[in-house]
């Protein structure tokens, strides 16, 4: 028996909760509902909790903008606190991407231009960036200094052609999007 699909759409301070009390006919219905909801409400935070990585839908979801986006794998969310932290991050406009999702999307786009020029360590830092981690967290997990992480991020941004601007654009998010979406002429 399949479980009912539920879509929660926060609008301002209220939430609209829509439950479909019928069997889910396809395995991708929840992902399609998330894409449709995000297309209708572009600032709507979306956190996908899935059994598998569906690269096409993940890339399409990220193509709509990385602000307030998450894609986690059910079997890799080990603790309730971990899930709630990701949920809070996405609700606040951040990102929460499972490392396996990032890895599959980067592998999918690995033949795309500038990705080939990234070193293994830079790709590793980029994967952590895509998970929404701060420089200090990345440094601790990779057992390097924060300064080394900053240098890697600078190198990644330069290799992707994301030069400093007037501060109106978040280059870190653009770097993740450029790699995951294959945009920016890559």
């Amino acid at each position: 028996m399949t479980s009912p699909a539920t879509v929660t759409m926060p609008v301002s301070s209220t939430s609209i909760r829509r439950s479909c009390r019928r069997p889910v006919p396809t395995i991708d219905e929840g992902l399609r509902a998330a894409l449709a909801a995000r297309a209708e409400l572009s600032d709507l935070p979306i956190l996908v909790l899935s059994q598998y990585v569906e690269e096409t839908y993940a890339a399409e979801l990220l193509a709509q903008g990385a602000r307030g986006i998450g894609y986690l794998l059910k079997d890799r969310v080990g603790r309730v606190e971990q899930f709630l932290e990701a949920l809070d991050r996405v609700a606040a406009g951040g990102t929460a991407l499972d490392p396996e999702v990032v890895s599959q999307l980067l592998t999918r786009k690995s033949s795309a231009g500038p990705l080939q020029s990234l070193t293994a360590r830079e790709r590793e830092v980029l994967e952590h960036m895509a998970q929404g981690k701060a420089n200090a967290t990345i440094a601790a997990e990779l057992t390097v200094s924060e300064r080394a992480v900053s240098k890697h991020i600078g190198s990644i941004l330069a290799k992707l052609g994301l030069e400093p601007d007037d501060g109106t654009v978040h280059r870190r998010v653009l770097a993740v999007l450029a790699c995951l979406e294959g945009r920016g002429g890559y």
Side-chain angles (χ1 to χ4, degrees):
M1 177 176 181
T2 56
S3 62
T6 300
V7 178
T8 301
M9 299 172 38
V11 178
S12 300
S13 62
T14 62
S15 291
I16 300 169
R17 186 175 178 103
R18 185 182 309 153
S19 296
C20 304
R21 296 291 173 203
R22 57 182 167 72
V24 177
T26 61
I27 60 173
D28 65 350
E29 186 172 289
L31 290 166
R32 287 187 291 126
L35 286 168
R38 184 65 180 239
E40 192 169 317
L41 298 168
S42 61
D43 290 335
L44 177 69
I46 300 283
L47 177 58
V48 173
L49 186 60
S50 182
Q51 190 66 37
Y52 59 95
V53 178
E54 177 50 61
E55 294 175 23
T56 303
Y57 289 117
E60 194 173 332
L61 189 61
L62 286 166
Q64 295 178 0
R67 182 168 167 73
I69 292 292
Y71 196 122
L72 302 175
L73 297 177
K74 290 178 183 179
D75 62 339
R76 292 172 51 109
V77 177
R79 298 181 328 269
V80 172
E81 298 83 23
Q82 182 183 15
F83 173 74
L84 293 175
E85 177 185 302
L87 187 62
D88 288 341
R89 191 173 340 135
V90 170
T95 58
L97 299 173
D98 188 280
E100 183 60 27
V101 173
V102 174
S103 177
Q104 286 192 30
L105 288 172
L106 286 174
T107 300
R108 177 180 180 203
K109 300 290 184 189
S110 65
S111 61
L115 280 181
Q116 292 179 332
S117 67
L118 297 180
T119 66
R121 179 60 89 178
E122 288 167 345
R123 283 191 297 273
E124 206 173 5
V125 169
L126 184 56
E127 286 184 23
H128 285 278
M129 288 168 53
Q131 295 169 42
K133 295 179 181 173
N135 289 8
T137 304
I138 296 170
E141 291 183 11
L142 298 179
T143 59
V144 297
S145 69
E146 279 188 66
R147 182 179 163 114
V149 170
S150 293
K151 285 183 178 184
H152 286 305
I153 291 172
S155 179
I156 291 165
L157 296 174
K159 288 179 181 180
L160 295 178
L162 299 170
E163 300 303 324
D165 65 358
D166 61 4
T168 60
V169 177
H170 199 301
R171 294 185 310 147
R172 191 175 174 121
V173 172
L174 291 178
V176 172
L177 286 175
C179 289
L180 298 180
E181 298 171 10
R183 291 197 313 186
Y186 306 130

